[in-house]
Amino acid sequence: MSSKSQLTYSARATTHPNLLARKLFQVAEAKKSNVTVSADVTTTKELLDLADRLGPYIAVLKTHIDILSDFGEATTEGLKALAEKHNFLIFEDRKFVDIGNTVQKQYHGGTLRISEWSHIINCSILPGEGIVEALAQTAQAPDFPHGSERGLLILAEMTSKGSLATGAYTSASVDYARKYPSFVLGFVSTRSLNEVESSVKAASDEDFVVFTTGVNLSSKGDKLGQQYQTPQSAIGRGADFIIAGRGIYAAPDPVEAAKQYQQQGWEAYLARIGGASQ
Ligand code: 5BU
Protein backbone atom coordinates (compact mmCIF):
# COMPACT_ATOMS: atom_id res chain seq x y z
CA MET A 1 0.00 0.00 0.00
CA SER A 2 1.28 3.50 -0.80
CA SER A 3 2.25 5.69 2.14
CA LYS A 4 0.01 8.35 0.55
CA SER A 5 -3.08 6.17 0.83
CA GLN A 6 -2.93 6.61 4.59
CA LEU A 7 -3.30 10.38 4.13
CA THR A 8 -6.64 12.17 4.08
CA TYR A 9 -8.10 13.31 0.78
CA SER A 10 -7.77 16.91 1.98
CA ALA A 11 -4.06 16.45 2.68
CA ARG A 12 -3.60 14.95 -0.77
CA ALA A 13 -5.63 17.81 -2.29
CA THR A 14 -3.13 20.26 -0.85
CA THR A 15 0.07 18.51 -1.85
CA HIS A 16 -0.72 16.66 -5.08
CA PRO A 17 1.48 17.75 -8.01
CA ASN A 18 -1.40 17.39 -10.48
CA LEU A 19 -4.10 20.11 -10.54
CA LEU A 20 -6.96 17.84 -11.57
CA ALA A 21 -6.04 15.33 -8.85
CA ARG A 22 -6.26 18.19 -6.36
CA LYS A 23 -9.73 19.01 -7.61
CA LEU A 24 -10.74 15.35 -7.43
CA PHE A 25 -9.67 15.05 -3.81
CA GLN A 26 -11.38 18.35 -2.96
CA VAL A 27 -14.63 17.07 -4.45
CA ALA A 28 -14.33 13.79 -2.53
CA GLU A 29 -13.72 15.62 0.74
CA ALA A 30 -16.48 18.19 0.17
CA LYS A 31 -19.09 15.55 -0.67
CA LYS A 32 -17.74 12.80 1.59
CA SER A 33 -17.87 10.47 -1.36
CA ASN A 34 -15.33 8.35 -3.21
CA VAL A 35 -17.98 6.83 -5.46
CA THR A 36 -17.78 6.87 -9.23
CA VAL A 37 -20.97 5.72 -10.82
CA SER A 38 -20.64 3.98 -14.12
CA ALA A 39 -23.73 5.26 -15.89
CA ASP A 40 -23.93 2.63 -18.61
CA VAL A 41 -27.34 3.56 -19.97
CA THR A 42 -28.11 4.00 -23.63
CA THR A 43 -30.11 7.21 -24.06
CA THR A 44 -29.31 10.83 -23.22
CA LYS A 45 -32.47 11.16 -21.16
CA GLU A 46 -31.59 8.18 -18.97
CA LEU A 47 -27.99 9.39 -18.60
CA LEU A 48 -28.91 12.94 -17.59
CA ASP A 49 -31.70 11.75 -15.34
CA LEU A 50 -29.32 9.38 -13.55
CA ALA A 51 -26.61 12.06 -13.29
CA ASP A 52 -29.09 14.50 -11.77
CA ARG A 53 -30.53 12.03 -9.25
CA LEU A 54 -27.20 10.49 -8.21
CA GLY A 55 -25.14 13.68 -8.54
CA PRO A 56 -25.29 14.65 -4.85
CA TYR A 57 -23.78 11.32 -3.72
CA ILE A 58 -20.93 10.80 -6.19
CA ALA A 59 -17.50 12.28 -6.85
CA VAL A 60 -17.25 11.19 -10.48
CA LEU A 61 -19.66 10.19 -13.24
CA LYS A 62 -18.17 7.63 -15.61
CA THR A 63 -19.58 7.44 -19.11
CA HIS A 64 -19.36 5.19 -22.15
CA ILE A 65 -20.50 7.90 -24.49
CA ASP A 66 -20.43 5.66 -27.57
CA ILE A 67 -23.19 3.42 -26.21
CA LEU A 68 -25.74 6.24 -26.39
CA SER A 69 -28.20 5.87 -29.26
CA ASP A 70 -28.85 9.62 -29.45
CA PHE A 71 -25.57 11.36 -28.59
CA GLY A 72 -25.51 15.07 -29.43
CA GLU A 73 -25.14 18.61 -28.17
CA ALA A 74 -27.88 18.02 -25.58
CA THR A 75 -25.82 15.19 -24.10
CA THR A 76 -22.64 17.16 -23.60
CA GLU A 77 -24.33 20.41 -22.55
CA GLY A 78 -26.48 18.46 -20.09
CA LEU A 79 -23.51 16.61 -18.64
CA LYS A 80 -21.47 19.78 -18.24
CA ALA A 81 -24.36 21.60 -16.51
CA LEU A 82 -24.99 18.70 -14.11
CA ALA A 83 -21.28 18.38 -13.29
CA GLU A 84 -21.37 22.06 -12.26
CA LYS A 85 -24.67 21.78 -10.41
CA HIS A 86 -23.64 18.76 -8.33
CA ASN A 87 -19.86 19.29 -8.22
CA PHE A 88 -18.71 16.02 -9.80
CA LEU A 89 -16.11 15.28 -12.43
CA ILE A 90 -16.75 13.41 -15.68
CA PHE A 91 -14.70 10.39 -16.71
CA GLU A 92 -15.18 9.05 -20.24
CA ASP A 93 -14.13 5.40 -20.14
CA ARG A 94 -13.10 5.39 -23.82
CA LYS A 95 -9.98 3.22 -23.30
CA PHE A 96 -7.94 4.70 -26.13
CA VAL A 97 -5.66 2.12 -27.70
CA ASP A 98 -4.07 3.15 -31.00
CA ILE A 99 -1.14 5.01 -32.49
CA GLY A 100 -0.61 8.58 -31.28
CA ASN A 101 -1.87 10.25 -34.46
CA THR A 102 -5.19 8.39 -34.28
CA VAL A 103 -5.89 8.82 -30.56
CA GLN A 104 -5.36 12.57 -30.84
CA LYS A 105 -8.17 12.69 -33.41
CA GLN A 106 -10.39 10.39 -31.33
CA TYR A 107 -9.85 12.49 -28.21
CA HIS A 108 -10.06 16.00 -29.66
CA GLY A 109 -12.81 16.79 -32.17
CA GLY A 110 -14.50 14.04 -34.11
CA THR A 111 -18.09 13.03 -33.42
CA LEU A 112 -17.70 12.73 -29.68
CA ARG A 113 -15.57 15.82 -28.86
CA ILE A 114 -14.37 14.09 -25.69
CA SER A 115 -11.72 16.68 -24.81
CA GLU A 116 -14.41 19.37 -24.54
CA TRP A 117 -16.48 17.79 -21.79
CA SER A 118 -14.62 14.94 -20.08
CA HIS A 119 -12.22 15.80 -17.25
CA ILE A 120 -10.72 12.32 -17.07
CA ILE A 121 -9.95 9.84 -19.82
CA ASN A 122 -8.15 6.51 -19.82
CA CYS A 123 -5.97 4.54 -22.19
CA SER A 124 -4.36 1.17 -22.54
CA ILE A 125 -0.60 1.32 -22.98
CA LEU A 126 -0.60 -1.64 -25.37
CA PRO A 127 0.59 0.66 -28.21
CA GLY A 128 3.57 1.81 -26.10
CA GLU A 129 4.60 5.12 -24.56
CA GLY A 130 3.53 7.16 -27.61
CA ILE A 131 -0.14 6.94 -26.67
CA VAL A 132 0.47 8.73 -23.38
CA GLU A 133 2.68 11.31 -25.04
CA ALA A 134 0.10 11.98 -27.78
CA LEU A 135 -2.84 12.45 -25.41
CA ALA A 136 -0.73 14.66 -23.11
CA GLN A 137 0.32 16.76 -26.09
CA THR A 138 -3.31 17.41 -27.04
CA ALA A 139 -4.52 18.19 -23.53
CA GLN A 140 -1.54 20.39 -22.76
CA ALA A 141 -1.33 22.28 -26.06
CA PRO A 142 -1.03 26.05 -25.44
CA ASP A 143 -4.27 26.75 -27.34
CA PHE A 144 -6.31 24.04 -25.55
CA PRO A 145 -8.55 25.92 -23.10
CA HIS A 146 -9.14 23.22 -20.46
CA GLY A 147 -5.56 22.04 -19.88
CA SER A 148 -5.51 22.27 -16.09
CA GLU A 149 -8.78 20.34 -15.90
CA ARG A 150 -7.79 17.28 -17.91
CA GLY A 151 -6.05 14.11 -16.79
CA LEU A 152 -5.38 10.53 -17.81
CA LEU A 153 -5.75 7.24 -15.98
CA ILE A 154 -3.64 4.40 -17.33
CA LEU A 155 -5.57 1.18 -17.56
CA ALA A 156 -3.01 -0.90 -15.70
CA GLU A 157 -5.18 -3.89 -14.81
CA MET A 158 -8.63 -5.12 -15.72
CA THR A 159 -11.31 -6.86 -13.70
CA SER A 160 -12.38 -9.33 -16.36
CA LYS A 161 -11.52 -13.00 -15.98
CA GLY A 162 -8.27 -13.97 -17.69
CA SER A 163 -7.19 -10.33 -18.22
CA LEU A 164 -3.79 -10.04 -19.91
CA ALA A 165 -3.11 -6.64 -18.31
CA THR A 166 -0.64 -8.10 -15.81
CA GLY A 167 3.11 -8.44 -15.22
CA ALA A 168 5.31 -6.47 -17.64
CA TYR A 169 2.26 -4.59 -18.97
CA THR A 170 1.32 -3.41 -15.47
CA SER A 171 4.89 -2.36 -14.61
CA ALA A 172 5.18 -0.43 -17.89
CA SER A 173 1.99 1.39 -16.81
CA VAL A 174 3.81 2.52 -13.68
CA ASP A 175 6.85 3.59 -15.77
CA TYR A 176 4.71 5.79 -18.01
CA ALA A 177 2.75 7.27 -15.10
CA ARG A 178 6.09 8.32 -13.62
CA LYS A 179 7.26 9.84 -16.91
CA TYR A 180 4.15 12.01 -17.47
CA PRO A 181 3.22 13.20 -13.96
CA SER A 182 1.60 16.44 -15.08
CA PHE A 183 -1.02 14.56 -17.13
CA VAL A 184 -1.29 11.06 -15.66
CA LEU A 185 -3.37 11.07 -12.48
CA GLY A 186 -2.89 7.41 -11.75
CA PHE A 187 -4.45 4.12 -12.72
CA VAL A 188 -7.52 2.08 -13.25
CA SER A 189 -6.38 -0.97 -11.34
CA THR A 190 -7.59 -3.46 -8.79
CA ARG A 191 -5.09 -2.33 -6.14
CA SER A 192 -2.37 0.18 -5.28
CA LEU A 193 0.57 -0.16 -7.69
CA ASN A 194 3.25 1.60 -5.69
CA GLU A 195 4.96 -1.66 -4.90
CA VAL A 196 5.05 -2.78 -8.53
CA GLU A 197 8.59 -2.81 -9.86
CA SER A 198 9.29 0.02 -12.28
CA SER A 199 12.37 0.99 -14.25
CA VAL A 200 11.70 4.70 -13.68
CA LYS A 201 12.63 6.32 -10.38
CA ALA A 202 9.74 7.55 -8.25
CA ALA A 203 9.58 11.26 -7.37
CA SER A 204 9.35 12.00 -3.65
CA ASP A 205 5.95 13.68 -4.06
CA GLU A 206 4.51 10.86 -6.18
CA ASP A 207 0.87 10.12 -5.35
CA PHE A 208 -0.96 7.93 -7.86
CA VAL A 209 -4.74 8.07 -7.75
CA VAL A 210 -6.28 4.60 -7.95
CA PHE A 211 -9.72 3.99 -9.47
CA THR A 212 -11.05 0.46 -9.04
CA THR A 213 -13.85 -0.87 -11.19
CA GLY A 214 -15.85 -4.01 -10.57
CA VAL A 215 -17.29 -2.92 -7.23
CA ASN A 216 -20.57 -4.48 -6.23
CA LEU A 217 -22.18 -5.13 -2.86
CA SER A 218 -24.45 -7.96 -3.82
CA SER A 219 -22.82 -9.92 -6.64
CA LYS A 220 -19.54 -11.77 -7.22
CA GLY A 221 -19.56 -11.39 -11.00
CA ASP A 222 -21.59 -11.72 -14.18
CA LYS A 223 -21.94 -14.34 -16.90
CA LEU A 224 -19.46 -12.54 -19.17
CA GLY A 225 -16.39 -12.73 -16.95
CA GLN A 226 -16.78 -9.60 -14.81
CA GLN A 227 -15.35 -10.16 -11.30
CA TYR A 228 -16.54 -8.04 -8.38
CA GLN A 229 -15.23 -7.00 -5.02
CA THR A 230 -16.83 -4.97 -2.24
CA PRO A 231 -16.07 -1.30 -1.44
CA GLN A 232 -14.25 -2.42 1.72
CA SER A 233 -12.04 -4.83 -0.16
CA ALA A 234 -11.26 -2.38 -2.99
CA ILE A 235 -10.38 0.46 -0.63
CA GLY A 236 -8.42 -1.86 1.63
CA ARG A 237 -6.30 -2.82 -1.39
CA GLY A 238 -5.59 0.81 -2.24
CA ALA A 239 -8.53 2.15 -4.29
CA ASP A 240 -9.08 5.88 -3.80
CA PHE A 241 -12.23 5.86 -5.91
CA ILE A 242 -14.59 2.91 -6.29
CA ILE A 243 -16.47 2.46 -9.54
CA ALA A 244 -19.87 0.80 -9.49
CA GLY A 245 -22.21 0.39 -12.43
CA ARG A 246 -25.03 -2.15 -12.25
CA GLY A 247 -24.75 -2.31 -8.45
CA ILE A 248 -26.15 1.23 -8.47
CA TYR A 249 -28.02 2.02 -11.69
CA ALA A 250 -29.71 -1.38 -11.95
CA ALA A 251 -30.73 -1.47 -8.26
CA PRO A 252 -34.47 -1.21 -7.51
CA ASP A 253 -33.77 2.26 -6.08
CA PRO A 254 -30.57 3.72 -7.59
CA VAL A 255 -30.57 6.73 -5.24
CA GLU A 256 -30.70 4.50 -2.15
CA ALA A 257 -27.99 2.28 -3.67
CA ALA A 258 -25.75 5.29 -4.39
CA LYS A 259 -26.15 6.42 -0.77
CA GLN A 260 -25.24 2.94 0.44
CA TYR A 261 -22.08 2.77 -1.71
CA GLN A 262 -21.21 6.30 -0.61
CA GLN A 263 -21.52 5.40 3.05
CA GLN A 264 -19.61 2.13 2.77
CA GLY A 265 -16.90 3.66 0.59
CA TRP A 266 -16.47 6.53 3.00
CA GLU A 267 -16.35 4.30 6.07
CA ALA A 268 -13.72 2.11 4.42
CA TYR A 269 -11.68 5.22 3.61
CA LEU A 270 -11.95 6.46 7.21
CA ALA A 271 -10.84 3.05 8.43
CA ARG A 272 -7.86 3.17 6.08
CA ILE A 273 -6.65 6.59 7.16
CA GLY A 274 -7.18 5.55 10.77
CA GLY A 275 -6.09 8.30 13.11
CA ALA A 276 -4.81 10.67 10.39
CA SER A 277 -5.78 14.27 11.15
CA GLN A 278 -8.51 15.66 8.86
P1 5BU B 1 -20.53 -2.94 -13.65
O1 5BU B 1 -21.95 -2.81 -14.06
O2 5BU B 1 -20.27 -2.41 -12.22
O3 5BU B 1 -19.96 -4.32 -13.85
O4 5BU B 1 -19.75 -1.94 -14.64
C1 5BU B 1 -18.37 -1.81 -14.63
C2 5BU B 1 -17.97 -0.65 -15.49
O5 5BU B 1 -16.55 -0.47 -15.40
C3 5BU B 1 -18.26 -0.84 -16.96
O6 5BU B 1 -18.55 0.46 -17.51
C4 5BU B 1 -16.98 -1.38 -17.55
O7 5BU B 1 -16.81 -0.97 -18.89
C5 5BU B 1 -15.94 -0.71 -16.66
N1 5BU B 1 -14.70 -1.49 -16.45
C6 5BU B 1 -14.67 -2.72 -15.84
O8 5BU B 1 -15.72 -3.27 -15.46
N2 5BU B 1 -13.48 -3.38 -15.65
C7 5BU B 1 -12.30 -2.85 -16.02
O9 5BU B 1 -11.24 -3.46 -15.83
C8 5BU B 1 -12.35 -1.56 -16.62
C9 5BU B 1 -13.54 -0.90 -16.82
BR1 5BU B 1 -10.77 -0.75 -17.10
Side-chain angles (χ1 to χ4, degrees):
M1 173 88 58
S2 132
S3 55
K4 301 277 202 268
S5 29
Q6 258 90 52
L7 296 177
T8 62
Y9 291 139
S10 43
R12 294 168 78 183
T14 320
T15 56
H16 205 287
N18 184 296
L19 289 178
L20 187 65
R22 288 186 181 207
K23 172 118 196 240
L24 194 52
F25 286 129
Q26 281 162 5
V27 168
E29 192 70 58
K31 298 176 78 173
K32 302 219 177 313
S33 177
N34 48 32
V35 172
T36 295
V37 71
S38 194
D40 298 336
V41 291
T42 55
T43 64
T44 296
K45 185 178 179 311
E46 286 172 286
L47 176 63
L48 299 183
D49 182 53
L50 209 52
D52 200 16
R53 289 165 67 209
L54 305 186
Y57 315 105
I58 62 173
V60 179
L61 181 84
K62 185 172 86 59
T63 54
H64 277 300
I65 212 70
D66 57 355
I67 67 178
L68 293 178
S69 56
D70 58 354
F71 173 82
E73 193 79 18
T75 321
T76 53
E77 289 310 309
L79 280 176
K80 283 194 275 189
L82 290 169
E84 283 282 317
K85 176 179 171 190
H86 295 297
N87 191 27
F88 60 72
L89 298 184
I90 305 171
F91 167 15
E92 165 54 26
D93 188 4
R94 172 66 181 75
K95 301 187 182 71
F96 295 104
V97 53
D98 213 320
I99 59 166
N101 185 57
T102 301
V103 295
Q104 285 187 338
K105 292 175 185 164
Q106 291 172 322
Y107 176 39
H108 190 61
T111 316
L112 302 175
R113 297 176 284 103
I114 294 170
S115 66
E116 280 175 34
W117 52 269
S118 183
H119 303 96
I120 304 171
I121 51 166
N122 58 354
C123 76
S124 160
I125 52 141
L126 203 58
E129 185 176 337
I131 190 168
V132 182
E133 190 186 349
L135 292 167
Q137 201 180 74
T138 297
Q140 298 182 333
D143 59 347
F144 180 66
H146 316 288
S148 63
E149 293 225 322
R150 297 293 177 264
L152 174 73
L153 294 169
I154 294 181
L155 201 162
E157 293 180 322
M158 290 197 70
T159 55
S160 36
K161 201 161 172 231
S163 161
L164 303 177
T166 58
Y169 172 91
T170 303
S171 29
S173 303
V174 179
D175 287 355
Y176 300 163
R178 292 199 164 131
K179 284 174 101 170
Y180 297 87
S182 62
F183 186 49
V184 178
L185 304 170
F187 308 106
V188 179
S189 57
T190 63
R191 61 193 164 117
S192 160
L193 297 181
N194 291 72
E195 276 79 46
V196 167
E197 218 162 284
S198 161
S199 60
V200 182
K201 199 171 173 295
S204 59
D205 60 350
E206 173 174 288
D207 180 10
F208 297 134
V209 186
V210 173
F211 277 71
T212 298
T213 53
V215 173
N216 195 305
L217 280 167
S218 57
S219 167
K220 295 251 178 298
D222 68 13
K223 289 184 183 140
L224 296 172
Q226 174 69 298
Q227 305 172 116
Y228 287 127
Q229 54 178 331
T230 62
Q232 290 78 4
S233 139
I235 288 168
R237 285 160 56 95
D240 299 308
F241 292 89
I242 49 171
I243 305 181
R246 285 164 284 181
I248 295 179
Y249 72 78
D253 184 341
V255 171
E256 274 314 306
K259 287 185 188 170
Q260 197 186 5
Y261 282 74
Q262 177 192 17
Q263 190 192 345
Q264 297 213 11
W266 198 255
E267 280 170 9
Y269 154 73
L270 291 178
R272 186 172 84 188
I273 59 171
S277 57
Q278 298 287 310

